[in-house]
Amino acid sequence: MSQITIIGAGAMGSALTVPLVANGHIVKLWGTELDNQIINDLKEGKEHPKHKHILPSKIQMFYAHELQEAVEGSEYIIMAITSDALGKVFDRVVPYLHSNITIATVSKGFDYNKQDEIVILPQILKERLPLGLKHIPIVAVGGPCKANEVVYQSPTNVVYACEDIFKAKDFKRIIQTDVYNVKVDVDVIGTEVAVAMKNAYAVALGFAEGFKDIAGYSHNNTKSALFVVAVEEMIVLVKALGGETRSVIGLPGIGDLEVTGEAGRNRLLGEVIGGGMNSVDALQKMKDQDITVEGYPAIEFGYKLSKQLQREGTLDALPLLEALYQILYNNKPCYQSIKEVLQQWCF
Amino acid sequence: MSQITIIGAGAMGSALTVPLVANGHIVKLWGTELDNQIINDLKEGKEHPKHKHILPSKIQMFYAHELQEAVEGSEYIIMAITSDALGKVFDRVVPYLHSNITIATVSKGFDYNKQDEIVILPQILKERLPLGLKHIPIVAVGGPCKANEVVYQSPTNVVYACEDIFKAKDFKRIIQTDVYNVKVDVDVIGTEVAVAMKNAYAVALGFAEGFKDIAGYSHNNTKSALFVVAVEEMIVLVKALGGETRSVIGLPGIGDLEVTGEAGRNRLLGEVIGGGMNSVDALQKMKDQDITVEGYPAIEFGYKLSKQLQREGTLDALPLLEALYQILYNNKPCYQSIKEVLQQWCF
């Protein structure tokens, strides 16, 4: 029996309590200040107010001000915080860490580090560890994993990647059940870049869904062609950054792109723009409905990263990512841009 | 300007008249005895009776007994016949072939050759060419391509593969438009095996859709995990048969699997079985509704082929294909089998 603290009581953080409790561990769920109502409701045995799950009764719940108590005595930490807040929240956790802890992160995306470089999220965590704790292993979690299906126990396969494969195996040992299946890997970069970029490319898959609305007939051929181009570009980017192709043609890449392209917020943003709305209005519409679209910043991060690598001469052009950026950030016409990308891909 | 004869007036055969006519070619569409009503209607300017397309008025239509007239003078032939009838129909075309003709096939699947070996479809054609015409190039066509979207002109990317790349380029030159985009390749084996097997694996993706019906909640994680396993197994099979990985992670593999997994008859068969119906009843139901499911024979062909390669020691186990075969041909329980495949994949 181990003790695990989950930082963040959102969809994924709360869902991961299910396999952990099933395996008989002590599970502590900590919520940020934004999660107070969630912790209230869960403590009263109600369903998760945002995600409508009933969670295992055995988990221990902690409010924002109870962070020390929540982390104390744990061997494992799971960071389940949105990518933009990950660093800040982790800074609050750091004082309570000890030498023998292992940390996993389920957040998806890129961020700027303190030197204003674009980095993957495990790097954000690593840089914030104090000198004596730099050895703490960071495990990247990727793959097609809708939180509610983890709660309902649909068979789910995910990757836990760590430079130290034994630490990934430790996590597998504590969290794997007969339906939540964990594949271990050492490719942290490939895993993280793929899960971040799949949100970007899912917007392109959404375009094809939107084309139906203006044309009056389906664009499934277009969507599948974009899927192939997306996978190809993810491979190029992952390799340029030092990751492995297998992560792109595995769970974090095509697996997660498949699930994200079938439904979800990234696809929805693309669908609205593909359907004829300009990107400024589409983004405003999402904002008004309080919908966070991870793919939007991922496109900018990916684009800037690719431009940097292209200047350094280590990356070829990524025409679909370029088109995504121009459509979303410079309001370039969507249909024509995508049509051209698919044409040029065949030359 | 070239002259092209399309053999078979079904969905794909008739759809390909659109890019060819758009490029100003002489296009002859020949129907089998089963296509008489189609040819009748098309000659009268009506829509395709089965697929509800209006086709370009410039195409020339030919009945089954007018085969010689249909083929005479053509530089290109496109075989658009269901895989099970391909050899027989081709035997009728052979007497009218000449030395400078190029043949493409859009049929998908495997078949037995005259020595009772399982072969890809271009092989079926090659073996039927008489001695003096053995050099005639066969071009394999693959990729995510719904016929109605070719008619409506949704942007579509496909692969034309031929051992002689220049013959693939000839086809590209005559058929490519600004929306029907052709990528040329030399990997005939990879293209054909991927397009055949994607029908088999689409049945597995359908299972996950069906699980929703018995469980009451979605199994998107399961579906995406199956997508990844399917791609991995297709790569293993394609490589063992002498094809290239790039075709599996390109249009014929993941591209076509994506479109087939979102909708279509193969997915539907899987969905019905995943939803709890035993495979015998599910197949009978499809038969009653006159629905041909290409994935069903593809599973048996793929399974037998894999067993043969495993006996020869050139192929590892393919657990998902094995499960597909046992579920569809031996009525093994679906949910439990798929759950086990996903579990074992992570060990």
Side-chain angles (χ1 to χ4, degrees), chain B residues 293-309:
Chain B
V293 185
E294 294 165 306
Y296 182 64
I299 287 167
E300 187 176 19
F301 278 124
Y303 176 78
K304 287 184 173 173
L305 205 51
S306 71
K307 286 292 151 191
Q308 186 187 311
L309 292 166

Side-chain angles (χ1 to χ4, degrees), chain B residues 289-329:
Chain B
Q289 292 175 39
D290 207 19
I291 300 175
T292 314
V293 185
E294 294 165 306
Y296 182 64
I299 287 167
E300 187 176 19
F301 278 124
Y303 176 78
K304 287 184 173 173
L305 205 51
S306 71
K307 286 292 151 191
Q308 186 187 311
L309 292 166
Q310 281 159 19
R311 279 193 301 273
E312 293 167 4
T314 55
L315 186 77
D316 289 335
L318 300 177
L320 180 53
L321 183 59
E322 175 86 32
L324 274 164
Y325 181 79
Q326 297 301 342
I327 294 163
L328 269 87
Y329 286 85

Side-chain angles (χ1 to χ4, degrees), chain A residues 146 149 152 154-157 172 178 183 217-218 220-224 258-259 262 335 339 345-346, chain B residues 146 149 152 154-157 172 178 183 217-218 220-224 258-259 262 339 342 345-346:
Chain A
K146 296 198 155 192
E149 296 189 11
Y152 294 138
S154 299
T156 297
N157 284 20
K172 176 185 171 84
D178 68 332
K183 185 114 178 165
Y217 47 85
S218 65
N220 295 323
N221 295 354
T222 308
K223 187 177 178 187
S224 293
E258 204 276 335
V259 78
E262 285 215 2
Y335 192 87
K339 189 177 149 185
W345 190 82
C346 285
Chain B
K146 297 198 154 191
E149 295 190 12
Y152 294 139
S154 296
T156 297
N157 284 20
K172 177 186 171 83
D178 68 332
K183 185 113 178 165
Y217 47 85
S218 64
N220 295 323
N221 295 354
T222 308
K223 187 177 179 187
S224 293
E258 204 276 337
V259 78
E262 285 215 2
K339 189 177 149 184
L342 292 182
W345 190 80
C346 285

Side-chain angles (χ1 to χ4, degrees), chain A residues 75-277:
Chain A
E75 302 143 75
Y76 299 92
I77 304 264
I78 298 176
M79 296 298 300
I81 294 291
T82 53
S83 56
D84 54 322
L86 181 66
K88 272 187 191 166
V89 174
F90 191 63
D91 279 339
R92 295 166 64 184
V93 174
V94 164
Y96 310 118
L97 297 178
H98 56 80
S99 197
N100 295 317
I101 220 159
T102 301
I103 298 171
T105 168
V106 298
S107 313
K108 297 178 177 185
F110 296 102
D111 204 355
Y112 291 104
N113 69 0
K114 287 175 180 171
Q115 288 77 48
D116 216 31
E117 300 158 334
I118 298 169
V119 296
I120 55 175
L121 299 179
Q123 191 62 23
I124 295 288
L125 302 183
K126 261 196 195 314
E127 290 184 7
R128 282 159 199 265
L129 286 170
L131 265 180
L133 298 175
K134 285 287 184 203
H135 66 279
I136 288 181
I138 311 284
V139 180
V141 181
C145 184
K146 296 198 155 192
N148 64 331
E149 296 189 11
V150 176
V151 176
Y152 294 138
Q153 303 187 50
S154 299
T156 297
N157 284 20
V158 289
V159 165
Y160 279 57
C162 186
E163 287 164 19
D164 179 350
I165 193 81
F166 295 103
K167 296 300 175 181
K169 284 182 179 172
D170 281 347
F171 248 110
K172 176 185 171 84
R173 190 175 42 77
I174 62 158
I175 204 166
Q176 174 158 300
T177 67
D178 68 332
V179 284
Y180 185 78
N181 303 304
V182 175
K183 185 114 178 165
V184 294
D185 202 312
V186 292
D187 184 26
V188 175
I189 294 174
T191 298
E192 282 290 322
V193 174
V195 295
M197 292 310 295
K198 73 96 185 42
N199 283 330
Y201 285 109
V203 176
L205 302 187
F207 290 159
E209 297 290 340
F211 293 161
K212 186 180 175 178
D213 300 331
I214 31 175
Y217 47 85
S218 65
H219 279 66
N220 295 323
N221 295 354
T222 308
K223 187 177 178 187
S224 293
L226 288 169
F227 192 95
V228 171
V229 179
V231 171
E232 189 182 272
E233 292 194 1
M234 284 199 284
I235 290 173
V236 172
L237 188 59
V238 160
K239 282 167 82 175
L241 290 166
E244 303 290 338
T245 302
R246 70 171 177 276
S247 296
V248 180
I249 59 176
L251 296 167
I254 61 173
D256 211 347
L257 184 60
E258 204 276 335
V259 78
T260 311
E262 285 215 2
R265 296 163 293 183
N266 299 296
R267 190 189 105 147
L268 180 64
L269 174 65
E271 193 171 342
V272 172
I273 296 172
M277 194 180 284

Side-chain angles (χ1 to χ4, degrees), chain B residues 178-253:
Chain B
D178 68 332
V179 284
Y180 184 78
N181 303 304
V182 175
K183 185 113 178 165
V184 294
D185 203 311
V186 292
D187 184 25
V188 175
I189 295 174
T191 299
E192 282 290 322
V193 174
V195 295
M197 292 310 295
K198 72 97 185 42
N199 283 330
Y201 285 109
V203 177
L205 302 188
F207 290 158
E209 297 289 340
F211 293 161
K212 186 181 176 178
D213 300 332
I214 31 174
Y217 47 85
S218 64
H219 279 66
N220 295 323
N221 295 354
T222 308
K223 187 177 179 187
S224 293
L226 289 170
F227 192 95
V228 171
V229 179
V231 171
E232 189 181 273
E233 292 194 1
M234 284 199 283
I235 290 174
V236 172
L237 189 59
V238 160
K239 282 168 81 174
L241 291 165
E244 303 290 339
T245 302
R246 70 170 178 276
S247 296
V248 180
I249 60 175
L251 296 167

